[in-house]
Amino acid sequence: QHFNSYLGWNERLFEEMYRAFDSGRSKMDPTSNWYQGEIWFFDNIVIPMAKRIDGTGVFGRAGSDSLRNARDNKKDWAMKGNELV
């Protein structure tokens, strides 16, 4: 997915987690580590999974596209994410 799609889903998840914190259903305030948590998520989940998908060759060009998008999204998040949180 492209960065704007990622941001939309990211914002929804953040809002959901913040409402849970604000209402007392969660002890974790997402504002404290959201930016760095997303970097970790890209490095440890998204990019390795995209590499595996690309490596299988099953999805053809879509596999390469998903890996490129994952890396681009991480780069964009690293540049813009801190100000968005």
Side-chain angles (χ1 to χ4, degrees):
Q1 67 185 354
H2 294 284
F3 191 65
N4 287 337
S5 296
Y6 159 75
L7 281 182
W9 289 108
N10 183 279
E11 183 178 352
R12 288 177 188 92
L13 179 59
F14 179 86
E15 288 172 0
E16 181 180 335
M17 294 181 79
Y18 188 79
R19 281 192 307 273
F21 169 73
D22 196 40
S23 69
R25 292 182 291 127
S26 173
K27 294 180 182 180
M28 189 184 87
D29 179 357
T31 61
S32 66
N33 67 346
W34 194 263
Y35 171 79
Q36 196 56 42
E38 288 298 291
I39 298 291
W40 182 93
F41 187 66
F42 276 114
D43 287 341
N44 294 281
I45 306 294
V46 176
I47 292 173
M49 182 173 54
K51 283 180 182 176
R52 287 192 299 276
I53 289 170
D54 185 34
T56 67
V58 173
F59 296 100
R61 182 174 163 85
S64 309
D65 290 345
S66 69
L67 179 56
R68 181 179 31 77
N69 286 340
R71 288 177 173 153
D72 288 348
N73 286 347
K74 180 195 172 191
K75 183 182 72 171
D76 288 344
W77 179 259
M79 290 188 320
K80 303 171 187 173
N82 221 9
E83 66 191 47
L84 297 172
V85 178

